Amino acid sequence: MTSGGLTECLRKTFVTLDQIKEITRTYPTPFHLYDEKGIRENASKLKEAFAWNKGYREYFAVKATPNPFILNILKDYDCGCDCSSLTELMMADRLDFDGKSIMFSSNDTPAEEFAYADKVGAIINLDDITHIDFLEKTIGRIPETISCRYNPGGYFKLGNSIMDNPGDSKYGMTHEQIIEAFKILKSKGAKNFGIHAFLASNTVTNEYYPALARILFELAVELHEKTGADIKFINLSGGIGIPYTPDKEPNDISVIGANVHKVYDEVLTANGMGDVAIYTELGRFMLAPYGCLVTKAIHEKHTYKEYIGVDACAANLMRPAMYGAYHHITVAGKENAPCDHKYDITGSLCENNDKFAIDRMLPKIDMGDYLIIHDTGAHGFSMGYNYNGRLRSSELLLKEDGSVQMIRRAETPKDYFATFDFTDIFKGIE
């Protein structure tokens, strides 16, 4: 893309300037907005891509977008919940997801969380071999259905684009440990086994899932041969990413599903294990492109650089400040204008990294313009926080019929002060 050229601005949005103006009559900026139509279409495509596997299920990573309205949409497509904390388990239970629809994948897990997971009948995915004794002491037994997380160690490299370092990750068991874990679990009464692994994050390639699948499928055959364990499911976890930058092409989930199918037949079916269910736990792929943060330009500053201050900040979207992550920005109503101005787009926190974009080429921004920050549907609102006493914004759902529903209200000062014991001092605060 040429610097300052029109192509740098072009990125399709699911909401128009006219719609934003109508929304802000009721809901002030900033707010996170989700596209129901896009979410439903994507969930349907994922389910179709793995329809070849009789037991397939997507366990949506609740941590990505922990909103009951979103979870209920995904429930329409037989999605379950992947939970990693007590409150996520509580949310899934309150939404009437049955135990088989809840996967509890946690690490450094407190005893009360294992106890609650067992109470609601969730499938427990053990992160470490030492957790076997810890779980047994906590709930008094080993569940009949249990899963273990695998970490192959070393480096995981795929082509020239992806390299991750499982050996430096705190998650999962070594090869020797998972074999021993299956033997111990079986001796303690486990009957139905699962395997889980996560090797790379936000991969924008159709090759990642098939490569991971081969590793896990071959491990499953080995575990079955060496321990006699009845392996019921293999959880490919997450890792399928999205193209945050406009120069990348999105993954093709139908191609990914077909290539996993090919590996499945080559490894599992060929070894008499063609009845193993495939699970996924996608968060970013499921939701990120179908959410955006809408914010308004409220200040401009001309010093050593050109700054545009907006009414959102890192408390609303942490990724750029925390990781230097790129999120595309569209100036609503100026989609066809040339990107001939260089700006830093900043929030109001007392931290210099509170910037949504640095040296970004955009159309001329006028005060009152609405900026659409793309791909915030996952790990956007959920990573929000209250530094500087800033309050988290509302979450809105753009429904298929064009109407808008508030699915989480904005925080108020009363929420911020609610956990203090001396609440009388703040009496009357709204």
Side-chain angles (χ1 to χ4, degrees):
M1 292 181 294
T2 58
S3 179
L6 175 61
T7 54
E8 198 157 340
C9 300
L10 293 177
R11 181 85 182 269
K12 188 176 180 181
T13 63
F14 62 80
V15 63
T16 66
L17 175 59
D18 287 341
Q19 286 176 306
I20 290 173
K21 287 180 177 178
E22 184 61 31
I23 293 169
T24 55
R25 292 176 184 272
T26 305
Y27 306 107
T29 54
F31 52 78
H32 284 273
L33 183 68
Y34 303 97
D35 175 23
E36 181 182 9
K37 184 173 184 290
I39 294 169
R40 289 186 178 277
E41 288 176 350
N42 194 48
S44 181
K45 289 177 183 177
L46 174 66
K47 189 173 182 179
E48 184 178 346
F50 286 90
W52 54 267
N53 183 259
K54 185 178 179 181
Y56 173 74
R57 171 168 278 172
E58 156 64 14
Y59 286 82
F60 175 68
V62 176
K63 60 181 173 287
T65 319
N67 189 293
F69 291 85
I70 299 296
L71 296 181
N72 273 333
I73 290 173
L74 296 176
K75 198 176 187 182
D76 289 343
Y77 300 86
D78 196 36
C79 293
C81 294
D82 174 72
C83 301
S84 56
S85 70
L86 177 63
T87 49
E88 290 178 0
L89 284 167
M90 293 172 70
M91 184 182 297
D93 183 48
R94 288 292 298 272
L95 292 173
D96 292 327
F97 284 89
D98 61 43
K100 293 180 180 179
S101 300
I102 304 173
M103 185 76 63
F104 184 51
S105 297
S106 62
N107 68 94
D108 193 20
T109 311
E112 60 267 25
E113 298 193 2
F114 273 140
Y116 192 88
D118 179 64
K119 176 184 174 183
V120 300
I123 301 170
I124 294 174
N125 183 33
L126 293 176
D127 180 69
D128 188 67
I129 192 169
T130 63
H131 292 182
I132 297 174
D133 286 342
F134 188 84
L135 176 64
E136 186 175 30
K137 289 175 183 176
T138 298
I139 66 173
R141 69 190 193 291
I142 292 298
E144 288 192 357
T145 298
I146 196 81
S147 178
C148 291
R149 186 167 185 167
Y150 176 55
N151 183 332
Y155 287 86
F156 175 75
K157 186 174 182 181
L158 184 62
N160 297 317
S161 57
I162 296 174
M163 180 179 285
D164 223 328
N165 185 4
D168 196 38
S169 167
K170 69 173 183 174
Y171 307 110
M173 306 181 194
T174 68
H175 183 264
E176 292 77 15
Q177 286 174 340
I178 198 169
I179 293 172
E180 183 64 19
F182 269 47
K183 291 178 180 177
I184 294 171
L185 289 165
K186 190 178 178 186
S187 72
K188 291 178 178 292
K191 296 180 179 178
N192 308 307
F193 290 82
I195 309 170
H196 170 284
F198 179 90
L199 299 187
S201 179
N202 194 40
T203 64
V204 189
T205 170
N206 294 330
E207 299 174 28
Y208 168 64
Y209 244 27
L212 171 63
R214 186 174 295 278
I215 291 171
L216 291 183
F217 295 169
E218 290 176 350
L219 176 65
V221 172
E222 181 183 6
L223 285 167
H224 179 66
E225 290 175 349
K226 291 183 176 180
T227 71
D230 187 2
I231 298 173
K232 295 294 188 182
F233 64 86
I234 295 174
N235 188 338
L236 299 179
S237 68
I240 298 178
I242 66 160
Y244 284 100
T245 56
D247 58 317
K248 290 189 174 77
E249 290 294 321
N251 290 313
D252 188 330
I253 196 63
S254 63
V255 171
I256 291 172
N259 288 339
V260 171
H261 189 184
K262 181 180 178 183
V263 178
Y264 185 99
D265 286 342
E266 289 175 357
V267 180
L268 292 179
T269 304
N271 284 278
M273 297 175 66
D275 59 347
V276 175
I278 298 300
Y279 296 161
T280 57
E281 52 176 59
L282 302 168
R284 195 188 317 267
F285 175 80
M286 294 296 287
L287 258 295
Y290 311 107
C292 64
L293 175 61
V294 180
T295 183
K296 185 166 65 175
I298 58 174
H299 288 290
E300 55 185 330
K301 184 173 182 177
H302 316 286
T303 53
Y304 304 105
K305 302 182 76 173
E306 294 295 304
Y307 296 98
I308 296 294
V310 297
D311 59 3
C313 64
N316 306 109
L317 177 64
M318 186 195 289
R319 296 186 74 252
M322 187 175 185
Y323 304 129
Y326 180 96
H327 281 265
H328 200 67
I329 296 175
T330 294
V331 183
K334 297 183 178 179
E335 291 85 353
N336 295 316
C339 294
D340 52 7
H341 285 63
K342 184 186 289 187
Y343 296 114
D344 282 15
I345 308 298
T346 72
S348 58
L349 294 187
C350 295
E351 294 290 339
N352 197 45
N353 67 350
D354 183 20
K355 298 178 179 181
F356 295 112
I358 298 173
D359 293 334
R360 186 73 60 86
M361 299 305 298
L362 292 166
K364 182 180 183 300
I365 297 175
D366 298 303
M367 295 302 93
D369 279 349
Y370 294 104
L371 277 63
I372 301 169
I373 303 178
H374 292 244
D375 301 322
T376 69
H379 310 292
F381 179 94
S382 65
M383 294 178 73
Y385 58 109
N386 288 125
Y387 182 60
N388 272 181
R390 294 297 175 188
L391 304 174
R392 284 178 282 250
S393 53
S394 61
E395 291 183 290
L396 310 177
L397 181 67
L398 179 61
K399 305 190 77 172
E400 289 185 288
D401 63 6
S403 63
V404 172
Q405 178 183 6
M406 182 173 67
I407 57 176
R408 191 193 303 264
R409 66 166 174 81
E411 289 182 335
T412 67
K414 187 175 182 179
D415 296 316
Y416 183 78
F417 294 121
T419 52
F420 289 105
D421 289 333
F422 43 97
T423 50
D424 284 349
I425 296 176
F426 303 106
K427 194 173 291 183
I429 291 176
E430 296 300 325

